[in-house]
């Protein structure tokens, strides 16, 4: 048995190479004998494997590019031999004399090897066989090859006049050409036309020599070719001097700068391959690299040496002094003059669109408080400013701008509605009619004026704003530079930011309420065409009514429409109102739908309603479609619990649902009462049954602590609602922070999903007067004996809300949180010297910023008389704080934080110390609309308008 075992082992070892049996000193003689026996002819239990090729070659080859593959193999009983069958003529096996090693190299160059057949080697080669044999057994590896063209392509970034392209990393190494010379500038002489004011040719032989800046277009080859390639290229542009506007004929400004030609680059004048003055005066400015042959100012030949896959065509962009829009041209590879590289098969060329952005100085137009939206009254003249951004232009150069109203983007303002006035050169400080501005050397800001002409005959209000925007809304200008006049004129500026300037036609206060007469407005909204919706409590003969009035934008004392509804209750209705404009589709026709809703309090039963107990909420819902002459009531509903249900804020979403938030001392169906006064939110939908539209509560969410909560704000995004308020208890899962905290509650729109509640604020007693949700942030307004700071924790890099020390008197503040309840920013608003008391009562969004309004007993605006009503505008900005990366000290991590900054503040002492803002709204970012009450032999209520700079627009005569 021992002998048989040894013999079997010897047979197994016979498969090993002899070289493994080198005898070390420690090897026992018995093992040597075993190896000898094994090699002496033991019969194997298993036959050798058939010869097998290892590996799969690429199925794609490229014309003019080396195709290479190194096969391996195993099996067989001896040294393997290889052969190719059914192979293309360009492909062969490497001729080697060392047949003792395993494996074989297959190589070839389509189009070159095998007879230099060129394009004839393109195509599909199927069922190529690599055969291997040991003399007795045969192994076959079949494969296919498709020979493709080696394609060229182009790549380029946007060019900018006066700027050069960046160097390419790795240029001059491996498969990338050497960089062209990108240092310095070139020189190029151009000839251009000048035109008279009427657009006719003034001179055609104006010449100037300008600097050029080098820019790059990359020429890319798919695969490295074994041959040197040469490709012709040319610059192209669709510019055509015969493409004229209207009936003009060349040479005319209406042709050279027509609507078609304005954005087309003029070859030779805007861009060249090589500046025509580069070699003048012995200068070697911007010499071309060796691989570029210049044929003309707009054409040439590029040479790609063998092995190169990325090379460069360097162009020169002319840095002129003309203001231009971004211009477009094309670079095309037109012909392969040498080599086996390929252009596009369909067009026979490769083209790339190129763009040149202008670097001419630009002028922006602003109000004197740096706003890009403002308003002036019809019949008034107001001063504005034009601000020149010179960019890299020399400070000593003089620049010009001509004012115009861009009628294509303006809102109905026509030349007879306004007049421009510019500085009188002969009488400094005076303004004369004109529209040409001059920016002398070293001057970057000049003032001009706009006069809104009083035509004394305002257009009638159309009921379909889509058809006549100018008549139904305040008109506005879009003040910009006259681009068509600037075209082709040296040192006339480009276009910066425009000024949207509205013309207001309500120039006197609009009286909307009188407490002595029992009419007390509670809320306002501004809607279509600048209409002002006023919701009031009307007490007549001790009977409470809801009064809704709709006033037009002219401030006519009589409303366009009015509604009066008895509340059937003993409590004042104290109405709140919300307006929404949206589009809907009816019978495949898209229409504009305008809706508003009013919510009131009542302890009775309104007509058609049922009293639930305590104080209920009643809602009235109105609609006006585009072709309707007036608003009509759609439905009314009364909702409540057995307790007191007080509406606080109302909102409509884009689906027409009504959202209501308020407080309750009862329990809504399906909800639980926390205790004290709880906050709640409802969504109320419009349903249709038998052709009649009715109100239906979609869901109600009630949550609160065992203590008292108050509600101050509501935000709606689609079906998600956000409630904002204060709590004296613990409304969230987090521990209470202080005596009174803030909270933010998010309702997902489904009663199946519990609301997300965040308790916010500081360890002090935080207060609120109002809140809103806009631009993914919650804006919370309040006042108290302390303000707030935003502090950046540079250990965790988060923003923290910090209460400031107690002040001498009450001041205002504004806080922002994101919708996840994370603190963002804070700002405090106090009078000069902290000598007076500020009380904030109004909050509205305006042109991306927030406007706050209130009362002060101090000097809120510098150099103002003490006391009275005030407004302040606050914007949210961001700042970046840098942190060194602990793992990589050379890297910087940037953290972005919100920041609130005061834009302006304005005080209005002329309204009297008793003036108080009851509500704020805005429309089209044109005007800030305020419901203001003041003492005038009793408390009266008026609509006052202010522009984006805080200027009071309708003080009256």
């Amino acid at each position: 048995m021992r002998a048989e075992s040894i013999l079997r082992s010897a047979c197994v070892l016979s498969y090993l190479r002899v070289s493994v049996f080198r005898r070390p000193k420690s090897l026992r003689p018995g093992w040597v004998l075993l190896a000898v026996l094994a090699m002496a002819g033991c019969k194997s239990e298993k036959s050798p494997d058939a010869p097998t090729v290892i590996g799969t070659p690429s199925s794609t080859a490229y014309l003019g590019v080396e195709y290479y593959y190194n096969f391996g193999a195993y099996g067989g009983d001896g040294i393997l031999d290889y052969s190719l069958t059914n192979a293309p003529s360009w492909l062969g096996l490497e001729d080697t004399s060392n047949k003792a090693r395993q494996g074989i190299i297959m190589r070839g160059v389509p189009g070159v090897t095998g007879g230099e057949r060129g394009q004839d080697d393109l195509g599909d080669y199927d069922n190529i066989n690599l055969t291997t044999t040991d003399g007795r057994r045969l192994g076959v590896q079949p494969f296919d090859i498709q020979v493709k063209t080696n394609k060229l392509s182009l790549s380029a970034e946007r060019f900018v006049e006066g700027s050069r392209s960046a160097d390419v990393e790795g240029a001059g190494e491996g498969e990338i050409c050497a960089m062209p010379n990108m240092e310095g500038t070139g020189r190029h002489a151009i000839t251009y036309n000048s035109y008279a004011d009427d657009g006719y040719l003034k001179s055609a032989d104006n010449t100037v020599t300008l600097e050029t800046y080098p820019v790059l277009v990359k020429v890319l080859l798919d695969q490295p070719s074994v041959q040197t390639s040469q490709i012709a290229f040319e610059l192209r542009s669709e510019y055509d001097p015969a493409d004229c506007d209207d009936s003009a004929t060349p040479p005319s400004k209406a042709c050279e700068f027509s609507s078609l030609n304005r954005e087309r680059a003029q070859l030779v004048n805007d861009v060249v391959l090589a500046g025509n003055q580069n070699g003048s005066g012995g200068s070697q400015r911007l010499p071309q690299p060796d691989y570029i042959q210049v044929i003309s100012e707009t054409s040439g030949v590029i040479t790609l040496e063998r092995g190169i896959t990325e090379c460069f065509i360097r162009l020169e962009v002319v840095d002129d002094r003309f203001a231009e829009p971004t211009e477009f041209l094309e670079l095309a590879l037109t012909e392969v003059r040498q080599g086996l590289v390929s252009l596009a098969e369909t067009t026979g060329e490769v083209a790339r669109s190129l763009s040149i952005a202008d670097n001419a100085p630009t002028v922006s137009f602003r109000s004197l408080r740096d706003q890009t939206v403002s308003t002036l009254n019809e019949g008034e003249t107001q001063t504005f400013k034009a601000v020149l951004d010179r960019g890299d232009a020399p400070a000593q150069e003089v620049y010009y701008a001509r004012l115009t109203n861009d009628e294509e983007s303006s809102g109905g303002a026509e030349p007879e509605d306004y007049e421009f006035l510019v500085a009188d050169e002969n009488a400094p400080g005076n303004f004369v009619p004109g529209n040409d501005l001059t920016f002398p050397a070293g001057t970057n800001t000049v003032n001009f004026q706009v006069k809104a002409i009083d035509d004394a005959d305002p257009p009638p209000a159309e009921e379909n704003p889509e058809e006549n925007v100018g008549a139904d809304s305040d008109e506005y200008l879009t003040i910009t530079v006259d681009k068509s006049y600037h075209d082709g004129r040296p040192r006339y500026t480009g276009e910066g930011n425009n000024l949207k300037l509205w013309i207001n036609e309500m120039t006197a206060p609009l009286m909307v309420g009188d407490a002595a007469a029992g009419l007390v407005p509670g809320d306002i909204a501004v809607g279509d065409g600048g209409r002002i919706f006023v919701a009031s409590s009307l007490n007549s003969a001790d009977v409470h009514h809801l009064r809704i009035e709709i006033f037009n934008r002219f401030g006519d004392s009589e409303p366009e429409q009015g509604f009066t509804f008895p509340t059937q209750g003993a409590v004042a209705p104290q109405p709140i109102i919300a307006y929404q404009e949206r589009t809907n589709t009816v019978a495949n026709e898209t229409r504009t739908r305008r809706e508003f809703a009013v919510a009131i309090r009542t302890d009775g039963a309104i007509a058609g309603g049922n009293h639930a107990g305590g104080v209920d909420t009643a809602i009235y819902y109105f609609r006006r479609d585009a072709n309707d002459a007036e608003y009509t009531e759609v439905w009314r509903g009364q909702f409540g619990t057995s307790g007191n249900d007080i509406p606080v804020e109302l909102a409509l979403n884009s689906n027409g649902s009504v959202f209501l938030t308020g407080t309750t001392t009862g329990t809504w169906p399906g909800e639980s009462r926390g205790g004290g006064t709880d906050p709640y939110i409802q969504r109320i939908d419009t349903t249709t049954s038998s052709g009649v539209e009715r109100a239906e509560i979609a869901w109600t969410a009630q949550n609160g602590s065992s203590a008292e909560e108050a509600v101050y704000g509501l935000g709606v995004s689609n079906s998600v609602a956000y409630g904002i308020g204060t709590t004296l208890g613990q409304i969230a899962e987090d521990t209470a922070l202080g005596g009174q905290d803030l909270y933010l509650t998010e309702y997902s729109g489904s009663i199946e999903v519990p609301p997300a509640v965040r308790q916010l604020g500081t360890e002090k007693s935080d207060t609120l007067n109002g809140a809103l949700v806009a631009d993914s942030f919650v804006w919370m307004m309040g006042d108290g004996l302390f303000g707030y700071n935003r502090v950046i924790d540079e250990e965790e890099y988060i923003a923290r809300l910090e209460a400031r020390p107690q002040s001498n008197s009450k001041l205002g503040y504004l806080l922002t949180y994101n919708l996840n309840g994370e603190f963002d920013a804070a700002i405090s608003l106090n009078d000069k010297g902290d000598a007076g008391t500020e009380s904030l009562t109004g909050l509205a969004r305006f042109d991306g910023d927030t406007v706050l309004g209130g009362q002060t007993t101090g000097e809120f605006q510098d150099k103002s008389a003490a006391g009275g009503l005030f407004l302040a505008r606050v914007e949210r900005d961001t700042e970046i704080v840098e942190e060194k990366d602990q793992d990589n000290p050379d890297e910087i991590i940037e953290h972005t934080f919100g920041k609130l900054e005061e834009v302006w503040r304005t005080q209005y002492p002329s309204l009297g110390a008793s003036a108080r803002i009851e509500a704020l709204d805005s429309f089209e970012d044109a005007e800030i609309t305020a419901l203001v009450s003041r003492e005038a032999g009793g408390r009266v209520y008026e609509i006052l308008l202010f522009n984006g700079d805080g200027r009071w627009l309708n003080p009256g005569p």
Side-chain angles (χ1 to χ4, degrees), residues 582-593 595 625 654-655:
R582 61 192 178 101
T583 58
N584 70 327
T585 302
V586 178
N588 296 321
E589 181 182 352
T590 300
R591 299 178 180 177
T592 300
R593 171 160 286 180
E595 300 153 318
D625 287 331
S654 57
N655 296 323

Side-chain angles (χ1 to χ4, degrees), residues 522-526 577 649 772 781 840-846 850-854 869-873 904 908 916-923 927-932 943-946:
D523 200 7
I524 62 169
V526 185
I577 188 170
E649 289 290 340
L772 55 81
M781 174 192 73
L840 293 177
T841 56
L843 178 67
R845 293 289 284 171
F846 185 86
T850 301
V851 175
L852 305 90
L869 184 144
F870 69 84
L871 292 175
R873 182 169 176 172
W904 50 254
Y908 310 92
R916 183 174 68 231
I917 289 180
E918 305 291 348
L920 279 181
D921 201 357
S922 66
F923 178 70
E927 298 159 347
I928 302 162
T929 305
L931 172 62
V932 175
I943 299 297
L944 305 185
L945 303 181
F946 305 86

Side-chain angles (χ1 to χ4, degrees), residues 117 199 211 240 321 328 345 396 440 577 800 904:
R117 288 160 41 87
E211 288 187 327
D240 184 351
R321 286 293 180 264
F328 296 89
E345 296 176 4
Q396 66 271 20
I577 188 170
R800 299 190 187 279
W904 50 254

